[in-house]
Amino acid sequence: YAQERTISGKITSKEDGSALPGVNILVKGSTTGTVTDGDGNYRLSVPAGNVTLVISFIGLQTQELDLAGRTTLD
């Protein structure tokens, strides 16, 4: 059976540190994802192993981040 783990974090603006609501977070190569809440927080179940998150928001550059075993990613 495939094991899953839950990751969570808060997405904020690099410029002023303010929370970003409505940011899309997807597991690369899958349809698994979520959107940040009004305070920029998210929680997502991802498969065990090496996982890359694709983080996108209208008007900002899309980023791909490797979890590298972390359970928190801000």
Side-chain angles (χ1 to χ4, degrees), residues 8 10 16-17 24 31 35 40 45 48 50 56:
S8 60
K10 183 172 186 171
D16 62 8
N24 293 305
T31 57
V35 177
S45 291
N50 196 15
S56 62

Side-chain angles (χ1 to χ4, degrees), residues 2-3 5 16 19 25-26 34-35 39 43 48 51 57-58 63:
Q3 293 186 2
R5 58 191 163 132
D16 62 8
I25 303 168
L26 293 172
T34 190
V35 177
D39 296 321
R43 180 175 292 272
V51 175
F57 189 67
I58 295 172
Q63 292 186 348

Side-chain angles (χ1 to χ4, degrees), residues 9-40:
K10 183 172 186 171
I11 305 296
T12 56
S13 170
K14 184 177 179 180
E15 286 77 28
D16 62 8
S18 62
L20 293 176
V23 175
N24 293 305
I25 303 168
L26 293 172
V27 175
K28 186 174 183 175
S30 78
T31 57
T32 302
T34 190
V35 177
T36 57
D37 66 14
D39 296 321

Side-chain angles (χ1 to χ4, degrees), residues 41-53:
N41 297 309
Y42 71 92
R43 180 175 292 272
L44 179 64
S45 291
V46 299
N50 196 15
V51 175
T52 299
L53 296 183

